[in-house]
Amino acid sequence: MAKLTSSKKSDKPDKKIAPSAASSIARSKVTSPKGLRVYDEVEAAQGFARVLLMGPSKGGKTTAVLRTAPGPIVVLNGDNPDALIPARRMGAKFTAVDCTNQQEWRKGCNYAYDLAEAGEVATVVVDTITLLVDKIYEQLKNDLTGFELWNEIYDSVMDPFRTLMDMNAHLFVVAHHIPSDSDQDIVGVMPAIPGKLKVRIPAMVNDWIWLDVITKRDPPCSFLLGPQKNWTGGGRGV
């Protein structure tokens, strides 16, 4: 264990803390401030995935996640009730909760959180955040306008979403993307989410993944990490 030294300057050269000593600081006898989480590199490696998944429309994003993510899986379905049929036909196993308005979204997120805390679910999939926000917009547009409308949409989506970010389970957020001028250009692609949510949700997750689909390739589908330089490599450790 490295000794804690005074902040007073010394004529002696600074000593670098060895990796083994540095990692033991989290287990120091010095009491950490109340309410402050202190952890080492081992605990840091035990986190959960927080992924935004985008790709071509109808390219199999949902099916790919539901067939490969750790189970049990809960899907917060912002799409139509029959949207999950293709995944089921491909052998995916999951439990789905329809979330098509403010109230259902909040209840669905709380339900998923409770399942995760009880250890009854390993992965939660939001499918799709694009259509969910569209449906909440349709729900509110007749009663609210302008900034009041978009602030309400932002709050009603973000508050439950923060609940999902805090749960002890993997989280995959499926989104449609804003098409670029070229079908081959996926650099700088953003999720098709209106308002501030377009920036806020991607900023909160740990990794952006692009599902690349080329029908004549074997295999036809590939997961590409990192929204830089043609999405080849990168990411934060998915």
Side-chain angles (χ1 to χ4, degrees), residues 177-190 210 231:
H177 73 285
I178 300 174
S180 61
D181 295 335
S182 170
D183 292 338
Q184 304 301 317
D185 181 14
I186 58 173
V187 179
V189 166
M190 292 295 291
W210 178 269
W231 295 73

Side-chain angles (χ1 to χ4, degrees), residues 147-237:
F147 287 114
E148 188 177 7
L149 170 61
W150 291 109
N151 287 338
E152 179 65 20
I153 291 174
Y154 179 88
D155 292 339
S156 63
V157 173
M158 282 305 305
D159 288 345
F161 185 77
R162 292 189 183 96
T163 299
L164 297 182
M165 291 292 294
D166 289 339
M167 69 182 175
N168 292 314
H170 303 297
L171 174 63
F172 288 83
V173 182
V174 182
H176 297 136
H177 73 285
I178 300 174
S180 61
D181 295 335
S182 170
D183 292 338
Q184 304 301 317
D185 181 14
I186 58 173
V187 179
V189 166
M190 292 295 291
I193 310 173
K196 296 184 293 184
L197 295 168
K198 179 193 308 179
V199 176
R200 185 60 175 157
I201 289 178
M204 292 180 69
V205 300
N206 292 337
D207 295 278
W208 297 16
I209 293 182
W210 178 269
L211 179 62
D212 192 43
V213 181
I214 301 177
T215 55
K216 295 182 179 180
R217 182 180 58 194
D218 185 22
C221 297
S222 299
F223 291 114
L224 305 182
L225 304 181
Q228 317 93 354
K229 203 69 176 176
N230 296 324
W231 295 73
T232 54
R236 290 166 114 180

Side-chain angles (χ1 to χ4, degrees), residues 62 88 100 102 104 115 129 140 142 154 156 168 200 202:
T62 303
R88 178 65 184 90
T100 59
Q102 280 180 301
E104 291 177 354
L115 288 174
I129 191 69
L140 299 175
N142 292 328
Y154 179 88
S156 63
N168 292 314
R200 185 60 175 157

